[in-house]
Amino acid sequence: MERRTVEDVMTTEVVTVTEDTPFIEIVETLADHCIGAVPVLSGDGRVTGIVTEADLLHKQYKSDPPDTEPRLDRLRHRRARAKVHAKADAVDARGLMTSPAVTIAPRTPVAEAARLLVSRGFKRAPVVDDGGRLKGIVARRDLLSVFQRSDDAIRGEIIREVLVCRLWQDPSEIKVRVEEGVVHLHGKMELKSLIPVVVRMTAATEGVVDVVAELDYDHDDTHPTAYPRA
């Protein structure tokens, strides 16, 4: 089954800054390009960090500090507050950036990249080669592009790759209907144990939103058969 990777959906024309880029220039860069973050590159093109809008907002924290410091959990939050103050005092990308940046390899499957961004709470991540050099950037909206496949394309892949190539099922026995990414399976499988398998493989097909299975079977192979002794 074909699986799209990050390099299939990433943006290759990436706006970047260097470690010496001043604070104001970074702000203007984000505003001019309507983006929320920029990778920071070293002199040889390696990604050393990333500056986001959140990093820049720490400057506002410095200009409008809270009236009182929190009295609870001071020790636990001291390090976090020190980092905030350090970024509030920063004047260039070197001091503002989050480093090292969480990066993704170009050949990473789209589903794996989506799990990474969601688990880390990130909206985007730089894509780098084995040497750490920037190849592109991938955002959540890029990863959602897998759900823009047509229903006909999804149906064709399920019949061809799941039923015929992987499960050796007669496609005439299983009716596959796809409506807005939701796959409906109707028909009869030879073995009962194959029903959860075909559902799982169907759900793993790119672009599938959900699977509704109404499948019967010819033989129940989920219970051990008692054979007569010789």
Side-chain angles (χ1 to χ4, degrees):
M1 298 175 67
E2 296 182 0
R3 287 290 179 268
R4 278 194 281 182
T5 61
V6 166
E7 65 181 349
D8 295 322
V9 300
M10 69 183 184
T11 299
T12 55
E13 295 183 4
V14 186
V15 178
T16 64
V17 297
T18 66
E19 295 178 349
D20 297 325
T21 302
F23 179 95
I24 294 299
E25 186 175 331
I26 298 174
V27 174
E28 293 174 346
T29 297
L30 296 185
D32 290 344
H33 293 87
C34 298
I35 54 179
V38 284
V40 182
L41 303 185
S42 63
D44 60 357
R46 299 175 190 274
V47 177
T48 58
I50 188 169
V51 176
T52 68
E53 292 172 321
D55 296 321
L56 298 169
L57 284 175
H58 290 311
K59 186 69 70 176
Q60 184 64 29
Y61 176 91
K62 179 181 178 182
S63 63
D64 187 22
D67 294 333
T68 59
E69 287 291 325
R71 301 194 310 185
L72 300 176
D73 299 328
R74 288 185 178 178
L75 291 178
R76 185 162 60 92
H77 294 297
R78 182 178 299 169
R79 182 173 299 177
R81 291 199 302 273
K83 184 179 294 185
V84 169
H85 285 295
K87 291 196 175 188
D89 291 333
V91 296
D92 55 23
R94 181 179 288 103
L96 289 163
M97 67 182 182
T98 298
S99 181
V102 173
T103 59
I104 298 177
R107 298 298 297 171
T108 302
V110 166
E112 182 179 334
R115 285 193 294 270
L116 174 64
L117 293 189
V118 171
S119 65
R120 297 294 188 94
F122 296 156
K123 295 181 180 180
R124 64 195 66 79
V127 183
V128 301
D129 61 18
D130 293 339
R133 292 179 176 81
L134 186 69
K135 304 296 291 184
I137 194 165
V138 65
R140 290 181 179 182
R141 63 178 176 272
D142 300 322
L143 301 176
L144 289 174
S145 64
V146 298
F147 293 104
Q148 295 176 337
R149 298 185 70 191
S150 70
D151 290 342
D152 288 342
I154 295 172
R155 180 178 181 273
E157 182 175 343
I158 292 170
I159 293 174
R160 182 180 64 256
E161 300 293 338
V162 176
L163 296 180
V164 177
C165 294
R166 303 189 70 178
L167 296 179
W168 294 5
Q169 294 292 307
D170 183 350
S172 65
E173 296 291 329
I174 306 295
K175 181 180 179 182
V176 181
R177 179 167 53 90
V178 185
E179 296 180 348
E180 296 184 347
V182 178
V183 181
H184 299 262
L185 301 174
H186 302 269
K188 182 179 291 187
M189 305 290 292
E190 180 179 357
L191 301 176
K192 183 179 181 180
S193 63
L194 289 178
I195 293 178
V197 176
V198 70
V199 170
R200 184 172 63 252
M201 289 184 175
T202 299
T205 302
E206 286 191 347
V208 171
V209 176
D210 195 12
V211 180
V212 179
E214 297 180 1
L215 297 171
D216 200 356
Y217 54 88
D218 289 324
H219 305 288
D220 185 354
D221 62 335
T222 61
H223 297 288
T225 302
Y227 293 96
R229 295 182 178 178

